Amino acid sequence: MTKFILSIAMLGTILVNNCSAQINTTKQATKAVVNANTVKVVEQPVGSNPISDVYADYINIKNSLTRDNSDSASFFAKILIIDIEKIPMDKLTPIQNTAWMKNNSKLSSDVEYIKGKADLEQQREHFISLSKIMYDLLKAFNSNTEAIYYQFCPMANDGKGAYWISENSSIVNPYFGTKMLGCGSTKETITVK
């Protein structure tokens, strides 16, 4: 009986390891397919930035919304959920840990909503909150390897305005997509530290 239990435990370990490898392989393969069909996929080098994958996934969601592609936004939200779980909590500074713990729940909630909705306008509503959270995290983590642009559209959010983060200084509006791509301006540049 003991040998049977040990065999089952070993099989379970092998399956878990294989599933993790398959998830990573599937993630890379699917990104390549999405890249070929819809959006240029942004990948960030991990380096010393523990949220580089989270940032890259956010940018991919933003780029999907600029192209009015709800399926792609949903796909990258699924990837973002996986990358949120992989944040190396033991490697965060106290300031980073505080910011992460403060924002993690709302971040996950917004991402889950974007993942689960096919309606572009509903995804954009949650992207407003997601953008604010990402801004707070990027400022607290203070570890970007390239300049990041905090941009604003005064017409978004029913005329209340809304911010987003971009990897480029040029304006490409995720809230109106192809209807008004150039609406907005850069309000802040987060420089490399």
Side-chain angles (χ1 to χ4, degrees):
M1 183 70 165
T2 303
K3 287 183 180 179
F4 177 73
I5 292 172
L6 286 173
S7 296
I8 296 295
M10 288 177 63
L11 179 61
T13 302
I14 290 169
L15 288 173
V16 167
N17 289 339
N18 285 342
C19 286
S20 293
Q22 286 179 337
I23 286 171
N24 287 334
T25 301
T26 302
K27 182 177 166 182
Q28 292 304 320
T30 309
K31 278 186 176 181
V33 169
V34 170
N35 183 25
N37 294 323
T38 57
V39 207
K40 179 183 177 205
V41 176
V42 173
E43 302 240 11
Q44 285 291 104
V46 175
S48 63
N49 186 349
I51 61 168
S52 62
D53 285 343
V54 170
Y55 169 70
D57 298 334
Y58 166 88
I59 292 297
N60 288 324
I61 292 170
K62 186 256 315 171
N63 290 341
S64 299
L65 295 175
T66 64
R67 290 176 177 84
D68 300 325
N69 191 328
S70 64
D71 291 335
S72 179
S74 178
F75 167 76
F76 285 113
K78 291 174 188 172
I79 298 299
L80 180 50
I81 289 167
I82 293 168
D83 287 336
I84 287 169
E85 295 299 318
K86 295 183 341 188
I87 293 296
M89 297 300 293
D90 59 329
K91 295 192 172 141
L92 302 183
T93 67
I95 291 172
Q96 292 170 342
N97 187 53
T98 299
W100 184 257
M101 297 308 290
K102 176 184 171 192
N103 291 295
N104 184 23
S105 178
K106 181 64 176 143
L107 173 72
S108 296
S109 173
D110 285 329
V111 173
E112 282 288 341
Y113 196 89
I114 292 169
K115 174 192 95 169
K117 296 296 178 189
D119 181 75
L120 200 53
E121 294 314 310
Q122 290 178 350
Q123 288 176 325
R124 286 175 168 145
E125 285 176 28
H126 282 269
F127 188 72
I128 293 169
S129 174
L130 179 62
S131 295
K132 171 69 172 115
I133 292 166
M134 282 303 302
Y135 173 78
D136 291 345
L137 288 172
L138 289 167
K139 293 290 277 189
F141 275 68
N142 194 24
S143 56
N144 50 301
T145 57
E146 296 178 358
I148 297 170
Y149 304 93
Y150 195 45
Q151 299 175 331
F152 179 75
C153 173
M155 297 177 65
N157 194 19
D158 295 324
K160 294 179 234 163
Y163 288 89
W164 73 93
I165 297 162
S166 181
E167 72 283 22
N168 297 309
S169 60
S170 58
I171 301 297
V172 185
N173 189 322
Y175 298 113
F176 291 107
T178 56
K179 292 178 188 170
M180 291 196 307
L181 275 176
C183 181
S185 61
T186 297
K187 294 299 183 183
E188 181 181 352
T189 300
I190 304 170
T191 57
V192 177
K193 302 297 176 187

